[in-house]
Amino acid sequence: LLIGCARGSVAQRDSFIECREPASECEHGHGGRPSVAQEAANKAGVAAVKAMTEAQQIHLAYDALFGGGKPEVISSAGRKLQFQGGSIVWLGDLAILVAPATNSGSSPATMGALGVFYLKPDGRKFEAVQQFPFAIEGSIMGNPPEWEVSHDIIDRPVIISITSGVWQGFYCATTTLTEIGPEAPEKLASFRSAFDNSDNPPILDSVQSVEGKIGNVRKNESFDVLFK
């Protein structure tokens, strides 16, 4: 139903009342499309949220996701993640919260995580759209991975995460690149990025240490892993 004209003539036509002129004064949309007034309100809401500090945006994101309760998620297998902090990344008018999580269990077999949550502004608050709390694997002892968001790899933001741990004196790390897509995070690449046996050299008869970092980035084309 299309109703309401601030001025100008109106004509009844089938299932809606049509604004003859000016069309921009119509207050309600037709056929599921938002009206000019609704679009203006939506844009104003997005602008208001974007104008907030990142800390305020993160606070709103947690309210939308956890409703003021404990910021935790429990998997069907009983894995409990507790989220804290994070960063907001914008894809157009869609906000994505990237949030680190610790696992309540602390052991070499218990991993933390990095969650990716999609939200859209609704007035001066957020509404949850998609949630991926276990999107990126964390490190041992229930810790989240080290991570950063890069805008240099491809056009869309990419999460560069590093998981690591020490097993029987051997330190190992893996770097993973995850694209923040418009609907879901997508893994792009993963590679072993570090090794160190300085805590247990007798096994290999010598101390070996190597670390690889991303370099020589050609956006949307390629990058190198530089080991030293």
Side-chain angles (χ1 to χ4, degrees):
L1 181 64
L2 179 65
I3 61 174
C5 292
R7 62 181 182 275
S9 62
V10 291
Q12 180 75 40
R13 190 176 72 189
D14 297 329
S15 61
F16 66 94
I17 299 173
E18 179 185 10
C19 290
R20 286 287 175 81
E21 75 170 88
S24 62
E25 298 294 336
C26 292
E27 298 173 358
H28 297 277
H30 173 61
R33 298 190 302 272
S35 69
V36 173
Q38 289 171 330
E39 288 182 347
N42 291 341
K43 288 181 180 179
V46 171
V49 175
K50 283 188 173 182
M52 296 178 182
T53 66
E54 186 178 35
Q56 291 172 321
Q57 293 173 3
I58 292 172
H59 180 77
L60 291 181
Y62 273 79
D63 280 348
L65 294 167
F66 305 106
K70 290 183 177 180
E72 62 182 30
V73 173
I74 302 176
S75 72
S76 58
R79 182 182 177 190
K80 182 187 289 186
L81 294 179
Q82 298 174 331
F83 293 88
Q84 183 176 8
S87 181
I88 293 286
V89 180
W90 288 90
L91 285 181
D93 293 339
L94 192 65
I96 295 92
L97 171 68
V98 183
T102 56
N103 195 314
S104 58
S106 181
S107 74
T110 304
M111 309 297 179
L114 194 63
V116 180
F117 304 90
Y118 289 68
L119 309 110
K120 64 178 182 180
D122 181 15
R124 294 184 63 84
K125 58 185 178 65
F126 279 128
E127 177 185 338
V129 178
Q130 293 278 8
Q131 302 184 43
F132 303 91
F134 301 90
I136 300 172
E137 192 69 79
S139 296
I140 66 172
M141 308 304 291
N143 293 312
E146 298 177 38
W147 63 281
E148 63 176 316
V149 177
S150 172
H151 298 271
D152 300 327
I153 308 296
I154 57 176
D155 290 334
R156 293 194 180 116
V158 171
I159 301 169
I160 302 175
S161 58
I162 302 176
T163 57
S164 61
V166 177
W167 292 267
Q168 298 180 347
F170 292 87
Y171 169 81
C172 300
T174 299
T175 297
T176 300
L177 278 65
T178 304
E179 174 188 350
I180 301 178
E183 297 180 353
E186 182 177 352
K187 182 178 177 180
L188 297 179
S190 185
F191 57 90
R192 298 288 186 183
S193 54
F195 172 84
D196 190 294
N197 73 322
S198 57
D199 288 339
N200 200 352
I203 294 180
L204 296 179
D205 297 325
S206 64
V207 173
Q208 298 181 16
S209 180
V210 63
E211 182 179 14
K213 292 186 178 294
I214 294 173
N216 300 330
V217 177
R218 293 172 287 277
K219 193 170 186 177
N220 294 320
E221 293 183 11
S222 65
F223 62 86
D224 296 332
V225 181
L226 308 176
F227 287 93
K228 63 177 182 178

